[in-house]
Amino acid sequence: MQMKNVLAQRSNPPPAVVDPPVKYGMILFQAFEPLDVFGPIQALYMLSRIRRLELALISETMDVVTTRPVVAAMNPMNSSVFPTIPPTHTLQTAPKDLDVLIIPGGLGTRSPLINATIEYVSQTYPKLEYLITVCTGSALAARAGLLDGRRATTNKASWSNTVIYGPKTKWIPHARWVVDGNIWTSSGISAGIDTTLAFIEKMYGKDNATYVANMMEYERHEDSSWDPFADIFKPNMTGVLTRR
Amino acid sequence: MQMKNVLAQRSNPPPAVVDPPVKYGMILFQAFEPLDVFGPIQALYMLSRIRRLELALISETMDVVTTRPVVAAMNPMNSSVFPTIPPTHTLQTAPKDLDVLIIPGGLGTRSPLINATIEYVSQTYPKLEYLITVCTGSALAARAGLLDGRRATTNKASWSNTVIYGPKTKWIPHARWVVDGNIWTSSGISAGIDTTLAFIEKMYGKDNATYVANMMEYERHEDSSWDPFADIFKPNMTGVLTRR
């Protein structure tokens, strides 16, 4: 009833762009960062109550995909906080007409074992309307050659481990997110929520973005240059930038 | 390497409390809200790199648990943004010595079909050190009788649909989260991240909470009374409060 009231109060404005995206894909691989996937998904989940949206979860096989690091040494405390998620499609069965592909980050983006995924991203990009990367997902996009000559950003704590994959990329060290053409790259983890909300605003209008953020009880950062974490992690980032 | 640097810089202070929690459980049920689960999990996932933590994902059966609404009418746009998650334990096989149980929100908290889960929560609570609810997860805790005579909060957009389950609860309408004894209740969706970070600060110390928030590139709300969403959704909330 509450939901009905909230929906009824909305003026249902026209979308911000003609024919905004409907079909989303999310890439999954071992050792993805949980919130990189579920931050954007939560925003789309909320938006999907008032606009028709489809989401495909795409992985190399139909096996459940784990957040567990590929290498045991990356779990030094022998913890077991490793949720898994089943994909809905493989690289082969994924919809051929995706409008938007989202690439999350996580330790898995640096894995030598995801060449098929990199190839898929490379071959799929020309057919997309938009590509969005979250966190170190930009490393995967860079490995697919999609960030050559582009402005992009990434996770600030993992800056040096990520920018090395994009020697021809103009990495922006102080940004919550960066838009270059039809590629949106976001900073680390939570930044994916702000990037998705900014994308929703651009595609479906400000009212819809505000609706989604309020329903998520999320205080948006609407300024893409807001980035206190660039300062917090600057000592490491600066060293790397100086070397390049 | 970057990670190693960040870890090396930490002073590794002693935990804030003696013998802080290790074993966490997360309740899952159909139509859970994605970020209610994965916001807290992301914080624990990050903390689990520097402290040993265990997480059990607990459901009535071992079937994958979907975010899809139980009733098709709750998906009016016929969207398909419905990720699923496999549990790791059933109510019967869940660890008997959990330290903390987390209950997410979502439309499923109001389902008449989750009586076994409510019974589990009711019987498990006396053995727990702490109970945390996110969003409308407080409705489930109220249905289990755990919020009688307690101060608690919940999602502001779904306020009226939730408080009705806790007629003996002192509902706090303006709060990011509320602590009463060993029960922490949080406001809607994203508030679960702030609540988990506040819980981490209380249990493992401020340095660890800051580390987790920074690594998540998440700007914490550290004031439990911060709640702009109570004002945004106040017209609906006020009506309900007046009736009670």
Side-chain angles (χ1 to χ4, degrees), chain A residues 100-151:
Chain A
V100 183
L101 186 65
I102 305 176
I103 306 176
L107 293 171
T109 57
R110 306 201 281 270
S111 166
L113 307 174
I114 58 168
N115 286 335
T117 297
I118 292 169
E119 179 68 15
Y120 169 82
V121 168
S122 175
Q123 295 192 350
T124 300
Y125 171 71
K127 295 178 279 183
L128 297 172
E129 291 181 21
Y130 299 95
L131 178 74
I132 299 173
T133 70
V134 180
C135 192
T136 54
S138 53
L140 205 155
R143 291 172 70 184
L146 304 183
L147 299 185
D148 288 356
R150 299 243 190 197
R151 295 162 60 252

Side-chain angles (χ1 to χ4, degrees), chain B:
Chain B
M1 201 174 72
Q2 195 74 14
M3 172 62 61
K4 220 162 66 183
N5 289 346
V6 171
L7 294 180
Q9 285 161 12
R10 290 170 40 75
S11 55
N12 208 13
V17 300
V18 178
D19 199 16
V22 172
K23 299 190 178 192
Y24 288 76
M26 174 74 76
I27 292 286
L28 297 176
F29 45 80
Q30 182 169 355
F32 69 87
E33 194 78 26
L35 198 64
D36 292 10
V37 168
F38 285 96
I41 281 182
Q42 175 65 56
L44 297 175
Y45 181 83
M46 199 58 87
L47 182 64
S48 79
R49 294 182 183 180
I50 54 173
R51 296 196 67 87
R52 175 167 169 73
L53 298 182
E54 300 173 14
L55 174 67
L57 300 167
I58 304 166
S59 180
E60 294 193 4
T61 73
M62 288 300 282
D63 294 342
V64 294
V65 185
T66 181
T67 52
R68 182 184 290 275
V70 179
V71 181
M74 297 306 290
N75 180 23
M77 306 306 291
N78 195 27
S79 289
S80 63
V81 183
F82 299 123
T84 64
I85 177 171
T88 59
H89 296 80
T90 65
L91 305 177
Q92 287 72 40
T93 65
K96 305 300 180 201
D97 55 350
L98 290 176
D99 300 319
V100 183
L101 186 65
I102 306 175
I103 305 176
L107 293 171
T109 57
R110 306 201 280 270
S111 166
L113 307 173
I114 58 168
N115 286 336
T117 297
I118 292 169
E119 180 68 15
Y120 169 83
V121 169
S122 174
Q123 294 191 352
T124 300
Y125 172 71
K127 295 178 277 183
L128 297 171
E129 290 181 23
Y130 299 95
L131 178 74
I132 300 174
T133 71
V134 179
C135 193
T136 54
S138 53
L140 206 155
R143 291 172 71 184
L146 304 183
L147 298 185
D148 287 357
R150 299 243 189 196
R151 295 163 60 253
T153 197
T154 189
N155 181 300
K156 300 313 180 316
S158 297
W159 184 262
S160 64
N161 285 327
T162 306
V163 298
I164 200 170
Y165 290 107
K168 297 179 186 168
T169 303
K170 180 168 167 43
W171 293 101
I172 310 295
H174 196 286
R176 188 67 167 169
W177 72 89
V178 168
V179 182
D180 187 328
N182 66 350
I183 299 185
W184 297 52
T185 52
S186 90
S187 194
I189 308 184
S190 308
I193 300 175
D194 288 321
T195 306
T196 304
L197 289 169
F199 184 79
I200 287 173
E201 177 170 333
K202 180 84 173 171
M203 296 297 127
Y204 309 92
K206 176 132 183 135
D207 283 6
N208 283 309
T210 301
Y211 166 77
V212 169
N214 285 345
M215 291 296 285
M216 287 173 62
E217 295 195 19
Y218 182 75
E219 187 187 43
R220 287 179 67 184
H221 296 291
E222 302 190 38
D223 175 2
S224 66
S225 70
W226 178 86
D227 189 3
F229 305 102
D231 299 321
I232 289 169
F233 294 108
K234 195 170 185 177
N236 291 321
M237 293 171 64
T238 307
V240 173
L241 289 172
T242 306
R243 278 208 301 276
R244 291 184 66 235

Side-chain angles (χ1 to χ4, degrees), chain A residues 58-61 89-96 116 120:
Chain A
I58 304 166
S59 180
E60 294 193 4
T61 73
H89 297 79
T90 66
L91 305 177
Q92 287 72 41
T93 66
K96 304 302 181 199
Y120 169 82

